[in-house]
Amino acid sequence: VDSMGREGRELFRHLLENDLSMEHFIDSDFVMVNDRLARFYGLPAVKGDAFVPVKLPQESERGGLVAQAGFLKLTSTDFATSPIHRGAWILKNLYNEHIEPPADVVINEPDIRGTTTIREAILKHQELESCSRCHSKIDPLGFALEYYDPVGRKRPEYRHVEVLSKNKLKFTNVPIESAMKLPDGREVRDLPTLKAALMADKEHILKGIIGKLISYAHGREVTLADGPYIDAIYEASKSHNYSLRAAIEAIVAHPEFGRK
């Protein structure tokens, strides 16, 4: 668990120190691992606790933030995955979208009696106008990751455990239904199609990441008024292959930073 928590920071450090592209936050052909994470991911052995870049095999789905075990565990409960938590994290932290409902909106909880799966229960929310605005964006992003369990291991199906008595458990395997459509009609159904959709939205996501960097640099939330600031940093990094280092240097060099 400690190693999972460090992986995201180590990826950031590696990109910064080696002047690499922020595109690696979306997808990459390598991961940052130490000995324990290399074993967990089934990669060639790594010696020691220090994180090093390891190139992924061709068939691997890992690479990028949303494929990290730490992210997949962070956005799950103790015993179950949470498509809502996972989708909301992507929307907030990659797209940098605010999804909190306005205070004056009354949200009525849907009637989920009769539903038998988490998918059925969550889709009930999309039937309510007060919920569908956010859930139509969140749910497809989260369900695309359902092939990964609460600690980020690949799984082919759900496994439900029912306690029948003190010494008797009943195990039931249930197929995973993950295919959903984004608001613009694109279908995502698994991690590779999700990352393809994120990469297609690269400009939006990189500007979202830049917005997070600006927010951290200034110690405040970014607003619509920061749009030109974000655009300027994006263009500055674009000429350097979207380098994370170039983006940070452009933020510090921008006149807005001097007025912090």
Side-chain angles (χ1 to χ4, degrees), residues 34-230:
N34 60 5
D35 52 356
R36 289 181 292 276
L37 270 185
R39 286 197 302 270
F40 184 80
Y41 288 152
L43 297 173
V46 169
K47 291 185 179 181
D49 187 54
F51 277 72
V52 296
V54 173
K55 189 171 179 62
L56 291 166
Q58 189 69 33
E59 69 277 6
S60 177
E61 294 182 1
R62 300 289 178 180
L65 289 173
V66 299
Q68 291 184 357
F71 157 74
L72 294 165
K73 184 181 186 305
L74 174 70
T75 51
S76 299
T77 66
D78 289 342
F79 303 105
T81 55
S82 174
I84 293 178
H85 287 165
R86 288 176 172 179
W89 191 97
I90 293 171
L91 206 60
K92 287 181 177 180
N93 294 289
L94 293 184
Y95 286 92
N96 203 14
E97 288 197 17
H98 298 282
I99 57 175
E100 288 78 14
D104 58 347
V105 172
V106 177
I107 297 180
N108 298 309
E109 285 296 319
D111 182 357
I112 61 173
R113 289 174 295 181
T115 59
T116 58
T117 67
I118 186 172
R119 181 186 178 93
E120 291 178 4
I122 289 177
L123 288 179
K124 282 283 187 180
H125 284 84
Q126 292 199 26
E127 296 176 4
L128 295 180
E129 185 178 352
S130 58
C131 298
S132 64
R133 181 183 59 185
C134 290
H135 274 277
S136 63
K137 297 179 180 180
I138 293 171
D139 298 349
L141 300 173
F143 269 102
L145 295 166
E146 280 295 87
Y147 284 103
Y148 286 85
D149 73 10
V151 293
R153 295 172 300 198
K154 189 76 180 288
R155 62 183 178 186
E157 56 194 357
Y158 293 118
R159 191 186 193 201
H160 296 308
V161 182
E162 182 181 354
V163 180
L164 300 180
S165 64
K166 184 177 179 180
N167 298 312
K168 190 173 183 180
L169 300 176
K170 179 182 178 182
F171 296 95
T172 306
N173 293 330
V174 181
I176 295 173
E177 297 179 67
S178 61
M180 295 187 76
K181 289 187 177 180
L182 296 166
D184 60 9
R186 289 177 294 167
E187 183 182 87
V188 287
R189 59 186 178 277
D190 52 22
L191 182 52
T193 56
L194 172 62
K195 290 202 288 188
L198 297 179
M199 193 60 78
D201 294 340
K202 179 176 70 176
E203 180 174 346
H204 190 162
I205 289 176
L206 294 188
K207 286 183 177 180
I209 293 172
I210 289 169
K212 291 290 186 181
L213 294 172
I214 290 173
S215 179
Y216 182 84
H218 288 259
R220 62 169 177 81
E221 292 290 329
V222 295
T223 67
L224 290 176
D226 292 305
Y229 187 5
I230 293 172

